[in-house]
Short mmCIF file of all heavy atoms in Angstrom, two decimals:
data_model
loop_
_atom_site.label_atom_id
_atom_site.label_comp_id
_atom_site.label_asym_id
_atom_site.label_seq_id
_atom_site.Cartn_x
_atom_site.Cartn_y
_atom_site.Cartn_z
N GLY A 1 -28.68 -8.63 24.65
CA GLY A 1 -28.62 -7.45 25.47
C GLY A 1 -29.76 -6.50 25.16
O GLY A 1 -30.57 -6.76 24.26
N PRO A 2 -29.82 -5.40 25.86
CA PRO A 2 -30.89 -4.42 25.64
C PRO A 2 -30.70 -3.68 24.33
O PRO A 2 -29.58 -3.56 23.81
CB PRO A 2 -30.75 -3.48 26.83
CG PRO A 2 -29.33 -3.58 27.24
CD PRO A 2 -28.92 -5.00 26.94
N VAL A 3 -31.79 -3.17 23.79
CA VAL A 3 -31.73 -2.36 22.59
C VAL A 3 -31.31 -0.94 22.97
O VAL A 3 -31.62 -0.46 24.06
CB VAL A 3 -33.08 -2.37 21.84
CG1 VAL A 3 -34.16 -1.70 22.66
CG2 VAL A 3 -32.97 -1.74 20.47
N SER A 4 -30.56 -0.28 22.07
CA SER A 4 -30.19 1.12 22.31
C SER A 4 -30.39 1.91 21.03
O SER A 4 -30.39 1.35 19.93
CB SER A 4 -28.74 1.23 22.79
OG SER A 4 -27.86 0.75 21.80
N ILE A 5 -30.59 3.22 21.20
CA ILE A 5 -30.80 4.12 20.07
C ILE A 5 -29.68 5.14 20.04
O ILE A 5 -29.17 5.56 21.08
CB ILE A 5 -32.19 4.81 20.17
CG1 ILE A 5 -32.54 5.54 18.88
CG2 ILE A 5 -32.29 5.70 21.39
CD1 ILE A 5 -33.99 5.99 18.79
N SER A 6 -29.28 5.52 18.84
CA SER A 6 -28.19 6.47 18.68
C SER A 6 -28.54 7.48 17.60
O SER A 6 -29.00 7.07 16.53
CB SER A 6 -26.91 5.73 18.30
OG SER A 6 -25.85 6.63 18.08
N PRO A 7 -28.38 8.78 17.84
CA PRO A 7 -27.97 9.39 19.10
C PRO A 7 -29.09 9.39 20.12
O PRO A 7 -30.26 9.28 19.74
CB PRO A 7 -27.61 10.82 18.69
CG PRO A 7 -28.50 11.09 17.51
CD PRO A 7 -28.62 9.79 16.78
N SER A 8 -28.74 9.52 21.40
CA SER A 8 -29.77 9.47 22.44
C SER A 8 -30.38 10.84 22.73
O SER A 8 -31.44 10.91 23.34
CB SER A 8 -29.19 8.87 23.72
OG SER A 8 -28.12 9.66 24.18
N SER A 9 -29.71 11.90 22.31
CA SER A 9 -30.28 13.25 22.44
C SER A 9 -29.54 14.20 21.52
O SER A 9 -28.34 14.00 21.26
CB SER A 9 -30.21 13.76 23.88
OG SER A 9 -28.87 13.94 24.26
N PHE A 10 -30.23 15.19 21.01
CA PHE A 10 -29.63 16.22 20.18
C PHE A 10 -30.61 17.35 19.94
O PHE A 10 -31.79 17.23 20.24
CB PHE A 10 -29.10 15.67 18.84
CG PHE A 10 -30.16 15.12 17.95
CD1 PHE A 10 -30.80 15.92 17.02
CD2 PHE A 10 -30.53 13.79 18.02
CE1 PHE A 10 -31.79 15.41 16.20
CE2 PHE A 10 -31.50 13.27 17.20
CZ PHE A 10 -32.14 14.08 16.29
N THR A 11 -30.12 18.44 19.35
CA THR A 11 -30.93 19.59 18.99
C THR A 11 -30.98 19.67 17.47
O THR A 11 -29.96 19.47 16.79
CB THR A 11 -30.34 20.88 19.57
OG1 THR A 11 -30.32 20.76 20.99
CG2 THR A 11 -31.18 22.09 19.19
N LEU A 12 -32.17 19.95 16.95
CA LEU A 12 -32.38 19.97 15.51
C LEU A 12 -33.21 21.20 15.15
O LEU A 12 -34.13 21.57 15.87
CB LEU A 12 -33.13 18.70 15.10
CG LEU A 12 -33.32 18.40 13.62
CD1 LEU A 12 -31.97 18.17 12.95
CD2 LEU A 12 -34.20 17.16 13.46
N ALA A 13 -32.87 21.85 14.03
CA ALA A 13 -33.64 23.00 13.56
C ALA A 13 -34.97 22.53 12.97
O ALA A 13 -35.08 21.40 12.49
CB ALA A 13 -32.85 23.79 12.52
N VAL A 14 -35.97 23.40 12.98
CA VAL A 14 -37.28 23.05 12.42
C VAL A 14 -37.13 22.62 10.97
O VAL A 14 -36.27 23.11 10.23
CB VAL A 14 -38.28 24.23 12.54
CG1 VAL A 14 -38.57 24.55 14.00
CG2 VAL A 14 -37.79 25.45 11.80
N ASN A 15 -37.95 21.65 10.59
CA ASN A 15 -38.00 21.11 9.22
C ASN A 15 -36.74 20.38 8.77
O ASN A 15 -36.65 19.98 7.61
CB ASN A 15 -38.35 22.19 8.20
CG ASN A 15 -39.74 22.73 8.40
OD1 ASN A 15 -40.68 22.00 8.67
ND2 ASN A 15 -39.88 24.05 8.31
N ASN A 16 -35.76 20.20 9.64
CA ASN A 16 -34.55 19.47 9.27
C ASN A 16 -34.72 17.98 9.56
O ASN A 16 -35.67 17.56 10.22
CB ASN A 16 -33.33 20.02 10.01
CG ASN A 16 -32.81 21.30 9.38
OD1 ASN A 16 -33.39 21.83 8.44
ND2 ASN A 16 -31.71 21.80 9.91
N THR A 17 -33.76 17.19 9.07
CA THR A 17 -33.83 15.74 9.26
C THR A 17 -32.58 15.23 9.98
O THR A 17 -31.52 15.88 9.96
CB THR A 17 -33.95 15.00 7.92
OG1 THR A 17 -32.81 15.29 7.12
CG2 THR A 17 -35.22 15.39 7.19
N ARG A 18 -32.75 14.08 10.60
CA ARG A 18 -31.63 13.41 11.28
C ARG A 18 -31.93 11.91 11.29
O ARG A 18 -33.06 11.50 11.51
CB ARG A 18 -31.51 13.93 12.72
CG ARG A 18 -30.43 13.28 13.57
CD ARG A 18 -29.06 13.83 13.20
NE ARG A 18 -28.00 13.17 13.93
CZ ARG A 18 -27.28 13.73 14.89
NH1 ARG A 18 -27.52 14.95 15.27
NH2 ARG A 18 -26.32 13.06 15.48
N SER A 19 -30.91 11.12 11.05
CA SER A 19 -31.10 9.66 11.05
C SER A 19 -30.77 9.07 12.41
O SER A 19 -29.80 9.47 13.05
CB SER A 19 -30.21 9.00 9.99
OG SER A 19 -30.67 9.29 8.70
N PHE A 20 -31.58 8.11 12.83
CA PHE A 20 -31.33 7.35 14.04
C PHE A 20 -30.86 5.96 13.67
O PHE A 20 -31.24 5.41 12.63
CB PHE A 20 -32.62 7.21 14.87
CG PHE A 20 -32.99 8.45 15.61
CD1 PHE A 20 -33.89 9.34 15.06
CD2 PHE A 20 -32.43 8.73 16.84
CE1 PHE A 20 -34.24 10.49 15.73
CE2 PHE A 20 -32.77 9.89 17.52
CZ PHE A 20 -33.68 10.76 16.97
N GLY A 21 -30.07 5.39 14.55
CA GLY A 21 -29.65 4.01 14.41
C GLY A 21 -29.99 3.23 15.67
O GLY A 21 -30.24 3.82 16.72
N ALA A 22 -30.03 1.93 15.55
CA ALA A 22 -30.32 1.07 16.70
C ALA A 22 -29.30 -0.06 16.74
O ALA A 22 -28.77 -0.48 15.71
CB ALA A 22 -31.72 0.51 16.61
N SER A 23 -29.04 -0.54 17.95
CA SER A 23 -28.16 -1.68 18.12
C SER A 23 -28.60 -2.48 19.34
O SER A 23 -29.40 -2.01 20.15
CB SER A 23 -26.70 -1.22 18.28
OG SER A 23 -26.57 -0.39 19.42
N GLY A 24 -28.07 -3.68 19.46
CA GLY A 24 -28.45 -4.55 20.57
C GLY A 24 -29.84 -5.11 20.35
O GLY A 24 -30.44 -4.95 19.28
N GLY A 25 -30.35 -5.76 21.36
CA GLY A 25 -31.69 -6.33 21.25
C GLY A 25 -31.77 -7.33 20.12
O GLY A 25 -30.78 -8.00 19.79
N ALA A 26 -32.93 -7.42 19.50
CA ALA A 26 -33.16 -8.37 18.41
C ALA A 26 -33.80 -7.64 17.24
O ALA A 26 -34.87 -7.07 17.37
CB ALA A 26 -34.06 -9.51 18.89
N SER A 27 -33.12 -7.65 16.10
CA SER A 27 -33.68 -7.00 14.92
C SER A 27 -34.81 -7.86 14.37
O SER A 27 -34.89 -9.05 14.68
CB SER A 27 -32.58 -6.79 13.87
OG SER A 27 -32.06 -8.03 13.46
N PRO A 28 -35.73 -7.29 13.57
CA PRO A 28 -35.68 -5.92 13.05
C PRO A 28 -36.15 -4.90 14.07
O PRO A 28 -36.84 -5.23 15.02
CB PRO A 28 -36.63 -5.99 11.86
CG PRO A 28 -37.63 -7.03 12.24
CD PRO A 28 -36.84 -8.06 13.01
N TYR A 29 -35.75 -3.65 13.82
CA TYR A 29 -36.12 -2.54 14.68
C TYR A 29 -37.21 -1.70 14.02
O TYR A 29 -37.24 -1.57 12.81
CB TYR A 29 -34.91 -1.63 14.94
CG TYR A 29 -33.69 -2.35 15.46
CD1 TYR A 29 -32.57 -2.54 14.66
CD2 TYR A 29 -33.66 -2.85 16.76
CE1 TYR A 29 -31.45 -3.19 15.14
CE2 TYR A 29 -32.55 -3.51 17.24
CZ TYR A 29 -31.44 -3.68 16.43
OH TYR A 29 -30.34 -4.33 16.90
N THR A 30 -38.08 -1.11 14.85
CA THR A 30 -39.11 -0.21 14.36
C THR A 30 -38.98 1.12 15.10
O THR A 30 -38.95 1.14 16.33
CB THR A 30 -40.52 -0.81 14.59
OG1 THR A 30 -40.60 -2.08 13.97
CG2 THR A 30 -41.59 0.11 14.03
N PHE A 31 -38.91 2.21 14.34
CA PHE A 31 -38.80 3.55 14.91
C PHE A 31 -40.16 4.22 14.91
O PHE A 31 -40.96 4.03 13.99
CB PHE A 31 -37.82 4.39 14.10
CG PHE A 31 -36.41 3.88 14.14
CD1 PHE A 31 -35.96 2.98 13.19
CD2 PHE A 31 -35.52 4.29 15.11
CE1 PHE A 31 -34.66 2.50 13.21
CE2 PHE A 31 -34.22 3.83 15.16
CZ PHE A 31 -33.80 2.92 14.19
N SER A 32 -40.43 5.03 15.94
CA SER A 32 -41.69 5.77 16.02
C SER A 32 -41.48 7.06 16.79
O SER A 32 -40.53 7.18 17.57
CB SER A 32 -42.77 4.93 16.69
OG SER A 32 -42.38 4.58 18.01
N VAL A 33 -42.36 8.03 16.56
CA VAL A 33 -42.37 9.26 17.36
C VAL A 33 -43.27 8.97 18.56
O VAL A 33 -44.48 8.81 18.42
CB VAL A 33 -42.89 10.47 16.55
CG1 VAL A 33 -42.96 11.71 17.44
CG2 VAL A 33 -41.99 10.71 15.35
N PHE A 34 -42.66 8.86 19.74
CA PHE A 34 -43.40 8.51 20.95
C PHE A 34 -44.18 9.70 21.49
O PHE A 34 -45.31 9.55 21.95
CB PHE A 34 -42.43 7.97 22.00
CG PHE A 34 -43.09 7.58 23.28
CD1 PHE A 34 -43.91 6.46 23.34
CD2 PHE A 34 -42.89 8.31 24.44
CE1 PHE A 34 -44.53 6.09 24.52
CE2 PHE A 34 -43.50 7.94 25.63
CZ PHE A 34 -44.32 6.83 25.66
N SER A 35 -43.58 10.89 21.44
CA SER A 35 -44.28 12.10 21.88
C SER A 35 -43.71 13.30 21.15
O SER A 35 -42.60 13.25 20.62
CB SER A 35 -44.16 12.29 23.40
OG SER A 35 -42.82 12.57 23.75
N GLY A 36 -44.48 14.38 21.12
CA GLY A 36 -44.05 15.58 20.44
C GLY A 36 -44.34 15.50 18.95
O GLY A 36 -45.10 14.64 18.50
N GLY A 37 -43.70 16.38 18.20
CA GLY A 37 -43.99 16.49 16.78
C GLY A 37 -42.96 15.83 15.90
O GLY A 37 -41.97 15.27 16.35
N GLY A 38 -43.21 15.95 14.61
CA GLY A 38 -42.31 15.39 13.62
C GLY A 38 -42.78 14.03 13.14
O GLY A 38 -43.75 13.47 13.65
N THR A 39 -42.07 13.52 12.15
CA THR A 39 -42.38 12.21 11.59
C THR A 39 -41.10 11.42 11.48
O THR A 39 -39.99 11.97 11.44
CB THR A 39 -43.01 12.34 10.19
OG1 THR A 39 -42.10 13.03 9.33
CG2 THR A 39 -44.34 13.09 10.25
N ILE A 40 -41.24 10.09 11.41
CA ILE A 40 -40.07 9.23 11.27
C ILE A 40 -40.41 8.06 10.37
O ILE A 40 -41.54 7.56 10.39
CB ILE A 40 -39.54 8.75 12.65
CG1 ILE A 40 -38.13 8.17 12.51
CG2 ILE A 40 -40.50 7.78 13.31
CD1 ILE A 40 -37.39 8.06 13.82
N ASN A 41 -39.45 7.67 9.56
CA ASN A 41 -39.60 6.47 8.74
C ASN A 41 -39.41 5.28 9.67
O ASN A 41 -38.35 5.13 10.28
CB ASN A 41 -38.57 6.46 7.61
CG ASN A 41 -38.72 5.27 6.70
OD1 ASN A 41 -38.59 4.12 7.13
ND2 ASN A 41 -38.97 5.52 5.44
N ALA A 42 -40.43 4.43 9.78
CA ALA A 42 -40.41 3.34 10.76
C ALA A 42 -39.28 2.36 10.55
O ALA A 42 -38.78 1.76 11.51
CB ALA A 42 -41.75 2.61 10.74
N SER A 43 -38.84 2.17 9.31
CA SER A 43 -37.80 1.18 9.06
C SER A 43 -36.40 1.77 8.94
O SER A 43 -35.43 1.15 9.39
CB SER A 43 -38.14 0.37 7.80
OG SER A 43 -38.30 1.22 6.69
N THR A 44 -36.27 2.98 8.39
CA THR A 44 -34.93 3.55 8.20
C THR A 44 -34.47 4.42 9.37
O THR A 44 -33.27 4.65 9.53
CB THR A 44 -34.85 4.41 6.93
OG1 THR A 44 -35.67 5.57 7.09
CG2 THR A 44 -35.29 3.61 5.70
N GLY A 45 -35.41 4.95 10.17
CA GLY A 45 -35.04 5.81 11.29
C GLY A 45 -34.77 7.25 10.90
O GLY A 45 -34.20 8.01 11.68
N LEU A 46 -35.19 7.67 9.69
CA LEU A 46 -34.99 9.07 9.29
C LEU A 46 -36.11 9.92 9.86
O LEU A 46 -37.27 9.78 9.50
CB LEU A 46 -34.95 9.19 7.77
CG LEU A 46 -34.73 10.62 7.25
CD1 LEU A 46 -33.35 11.14 7.67
CD2 LEU A 46 -34.88 10.67 5.74
N TYR A 47 -35.72 10.84 10.76
CA TYR A 47 -36.66 11.72 11.45
C TYR A 47 -36.70 13.07 10.76
O TYR A 47 -35.66 13.63 10.40
CB TYR A 47 -36.23 11.89 12.91
CG TYR A 47 -37.04 12.90 13.68
CD1 TYR A 47 -38.29 12.57 14.19
CD2 TYR A 47 -36.57 14.19 13.90
CE1 TYR A 47 -39.05 13.50 14.90
CE2 TYR A 47 -37.31 15.12 14.60
CZ TYR A 47 -38.55 14.77 15.09
OH TYR A 47 -39.29 15.68 15.79
N THR A 48 -37.90 13.62 10.60
CA THR A 48 -38.09 14.97 10.07
C THR A 48 -38.77 15.82 11.13
O THR A 48 -39.86 15.48 11.60
CB THR A 48 -38.96 14.95 8.79
OG1 THR A 48 -38.34 14.10 7.83
CG2 THR A 48 -39.11 16.35 8.22
N ALA A 49 -38.10 16.90 11.52
CA ALA A 49 -38.63 17.79 12.55
C ALA A 49 -39.85 18.53 12.03
O ALA A 49 -39.97 18.79 10.84
CB ALA A 49 -37.56 18.77 13.00
N PRO A 50 -40.76 18.93 12.94
CA PRO A 50 -41.94 19.71 12.54
C PRO A 50 -41.56 21.14 12.21
O PRO A 50 -40.41 21.55 12.37
CB PRO A 50 -42.85 19.62 13.77
CG PRO A 50 -41.89 19.51 14.91
CD PRO A 50 -40.75 18.66 14.38
N ALA A 51 -42.56 21.93 11.78
CA ALA A 51 -42.32 23.32 11.39
C ALA A 51 -42.21 24.27 12.58
O ALA A 51 -41.81 25.42 12.41
CB ALA A 51 -43.45 23.78 10.47
N GLY A 52 -42.55 23.80 13.78
CA GLY A 52 -42.49 24.65 14.96
C GLY A 52 -41.53 24.12 16.00
O GLY A 52 -41.24 22.92 16.04
N ALA A 53 -41.02 25.01 16.84
CA ALA A 53 -40.10 24.62 17.91
C ALA A 53 -40.81 23.79 18.97
O ALA A 53 -42.03 23.86 19.11
CB ALA A 53 -39.48 25.86 18.53
N GLY A 54 -40.03 23.02 19.71
CA GLY A 54 -40.60 22.21 20.79
C GLY A 54 -39.68 21.06 21.12
O GLY A 54 -38.46 21.17 21.00
N ALA A 55 -40.26 19.97 21.54
CA ALA A 55 -39.49 18.79 21.92
C ALA A 55 -40.20 17.55 21.42
O ALA A 55 -41.42 17.56 21.21
CB ALA A 55 -39.32 18.73 23.43
N ALA A 56 -39.44 16.50 21.23
CA ALA A 56 -40.01 15.23 20.79
C ALA A 56 -39.20 14.09 21.38
O ALA A 56 -38.04 14.26 21.78
CB ALA A 56 -40.02 15.13 19.27
N VAL A 57 -39.83 12.93 21.44
CA VAL A 57 -39.16 11.71 21.86
C VAL A 57 -39.35 10.68 20.76
O VAL A 57 -40.48 10.40 20.35
CB VAL A 57 -39.71 11.16 23.20
CG1 VAL A 57 -39.07 9.83 23.54
CG2 VAL A 57 -39.48 12.17 24.32
N VAL A 58 -38.23 10.15 20.27
CA VAL A 58 -38.25 9.09 19.28
C VAL A 58 -37.95 7.77 19.99
O VAL A 58 -37.06 7.71 20.84
CB VAL A 58 -37.23 9.35 18.15
CG1 VAL A 58 -37.00 8.11 17.31
CG2 VAL A 58 -37.70 10.49 17.28
N ARG A 59 -38.70 6.74 19.65
CA ARG A 59 -38.54 5.43 20.29
C ARG A 59 -38.19 4.38 19.25
O ARG A 59 -38.72 4.38 18.14
CB ARG A 59 -39.84 5.04 21.00
CG ARG A 59 -39.85 3.63 21.56
CD ARG A 59 -41.01 3.42 22.51
NE ARG A 59 -40.71 4.11 23.78
CZ ARG A 59 -41.51 4.12 24.83
NH1 ARG A 59 -42.69 3.54 24.77
NH2 ARG A 59 -41.16 4.75 25.93
N VAL A 60 -37.29 3.50 19.62
CA VAL A 60 -37.02 2.32 18.81
C VAL A 60 -37.51 1.10 19.59
O VAL A 60 -37.34 1.02 20.81
CB VAL A 60 -35.53 2.18 18.43
CG1 VAL A 60 -34.64 1.97 19.65
CG2 VAL A 60 -35.35 1.05 17.43
N THR A 61 -38.16 0.20 18.89
CA THR A 61 -38.66 -1.04 19.48
C THR A 61 -38.06 -2.21 18.70
O THR A 61 -38.09 -2.22 17.47
CB THR A 61 -40.19 -1.11 19.40
OG1 THR A 61 -40.74 0.08 20.00
CG2 THR A 61 -40.74 -2.34 20.12
N ASP A 62 -37.50 -3.18 19.43
CA ASP A 62 -36.95 -4.34 18.73
C ASP A 62 -38.01 -5.43 18.61
O ASP A 62 -39.15 -5.26 19.05
CB ASP A 62 -35.67 -4.84 19.40
CG ASP A 62 -35.89 -5.56 20.72
OD1 ASP A 62 -37.04 -5.69 21.17
OD2 ASP A 62 -34.88 -6.01 21.31
N SER A 63 -37.66 -6.53 17.99
CA SER A 63 -38.64 -7.58 17.72
C SER A 63 -39.12 -8.30 18.98
O SER A 63 -40.12 -9.01 18.95
CB SER A 63 -38.07 -8.60 16.73
OG SER A 63 -36.95 -9.25 17.29
N LEU A 64 -38.42 -8.08 20.10
CA LEU A 64 -38.85 -8.67 21.38
C LEU A 64 -39.70 -7.72 22.21
O LEU A 64 -40.13 -8.05 23.30
CB LEU A 64 -37.61 -9.09 22.20
CG LEU A 64 -36.69 -10.12 21.55
CD1 LEU A 64 -35.48 -10.37 22.43
CD2 LEU A 64 -37.44 -11.41 21.28
N GLY A 65 -39.90 -6.49 21.69
CA GLY A 65 -40.70 -5.51 22.42
C GLY A 65 -39.90 -4.62 23.34
O GLY A 65 -40.47 -3.80 24.06
N GLN A 66 -38.57 -4.76 23.35
CA GLN A 66 -37.73 -3.87 24.16
C GLN A 66 -37.69 -2.50 23.49
O GLN A 66 -37.70 -2.40 22.27
CB GLN A 66 -36.30 -4.41 24.26
CG GLN A 66 -36.21 -5.78 24.91
CD GLN A 66 -34.76 -6.22 24.97
OE1 GLN A 66 -34.13 -6.12 26.02
NE2 GLN A 66 -34.23 -6.71 23.86
N THR A 67 -37.59 -1.44 24.29
CA THR A 67 -37.59 -0.08 23.74
C THR A 67 -36.42 0.74 24.27
O THR A 67 -35.87 0.45 25.35
CB THR A 67 -38.90 0.66 24.07
OG1 THR A 67 -39.02 0.79 25.49
CG2 THR A 67 -40.11 -0.06 23.49
N ALA A 68 -36.05 1.76 23.50
CA ALA A 68 -35.08 2.77 23.92
C ALA A 68 -35.56 4.09 23.33
O ALA A 68 -36.11 4.11 22.22
CB ALA A 68 -33.68 2.43 23.44
N ASP A 69 -35.35 5.19 24.07
CA ASP A 69 -35.85 6.50 23.64
C ASP A 69 -34.72 7.49 23.43
O ASP A 69 -33.67 7.41 24.08
CB ASP A 69 -36.80 7.08 24.71
CG ASP A 69 -38.07 6.26 24.85
OD1 ASP A 69 -38.40 5.50 23.94
OD2 ASP A 69 -38.73 6.40 25.90
N ALA A 70 -34.96 8.44 22.54
CA ALA A 70 -34.05 9.55 22.29
C ALA A 70 -34.82 10.85 22.44
O ALA A 70 -35.95 10.96 21.97
CB ALA A 70 -33.45 9.45 20.90
N ALA A 71 -34.20 11.84 23.09
CA ALA A 71 -34.83 13.13 23.31
C ALA A 71 -34.32 14.13 22.27
O ALA A 71 -33.12 14.26 22.04
CB ALA A 71 -34.51 13.64 24.71
N ILE A 72 -35.26 14.86 21.64
CA ILE A 72 -34.92 15.83 20.62
C ILE A 72 -35.44 17.19 21.04
O ILE A 72 -36.61 17.32 21.42
CB ILE A 72 -35.56 15.45 19.26
CG1 ILE A 72 -35.21 14.02 18.87
CG2 ILE A 72 -35.14 16.42 18.17
CD1 ILE A 72 -36.10 13.48 17.79
N THR A 73 -34.59 18.20 20.94
CA THR A 73 -35.00 19.58 21.12
C THR A 73 -35.08 20.21 19.74
O THR A 73 -34.13 20.12 18.96
CB THR A 73 -34.00 20.35 22.00
OG1 THR A 73 -33.91 19.70 23.27
CG2 THR A 73 -34.43 21.79 22.18
N ILE A 74 -36.21 20.81 19.41
CA ILE A 74 -36.42 21.40 18.10
C ILE A 74 -36.47 22.91 18.24
O ILE A 74 -37.26 23.44 19.04
CB ILE A 74 -37.74 20.87 17.47
CG1 ILE A 74 -37.70 19.35 17.36
CG2 ILE A 74 -37.99 21.50 16.11
CD1 ILE A 74 -39.03 18.68 17.54
N ASN A 75 -35.58 23.60 17.52
CA ASN A 75 -35.55 25.06 17.63
C ASN A 75 -35.51 25.73 16.27
O ASN A 75 -35.48 25.08 15.25
CB ASN A 75 -34.39 25.52 18.51
CG ASN A 75 -33.03 25.15 17.93
OD1 ASN A 75 -32.91 24.85 16.75
ND2 ASN A 75 -32.01 25.20 18.76
#
């Protein structure tokens, strides 16, 4: 089946962290910051928000190249 990311959207305070998970598709999964700020651990899915407010999109990619995105609001 298709890959999915959890949670798919949430709000996070600046400089805080949140873990993402993935399911479906074909493991292993790779996490990345597709747009906006912040950093993410590619293998664990631990996202760290930037120091300024804004928005970001985190993407998970499975071993077949399927993707799923999560929207983050940073305040």
Side-chain angles (χ1 to χ4, degrees):
V3 66
S4 63
I5 191 168
S6 177
S8 60
S9 66
F10 64 90
T11 299
L12 188 64
V14 296
N15 295 318
N16 282 4
T17 60
R18 178 77 184 251
S19 289
F20 284 95
S23 60
S27 62
Y29 306 109
T30 303
F31 296 90
S32 60
V33 177
F34 180 70
S35 67
T39 59
I40 195 162
N41 182 299
S43 57
T44 67
L46 181 64
Y47 174 80
T48 303
V57 175
V58 166
R59 173 167 285 180
V60 64
T61 306
D62 73 0
S63 63
L64 300 176
Q66 300 180 100
T67 62
D69 294 341
I72 307 164
T73 301
I74 302 147
N75 63 18

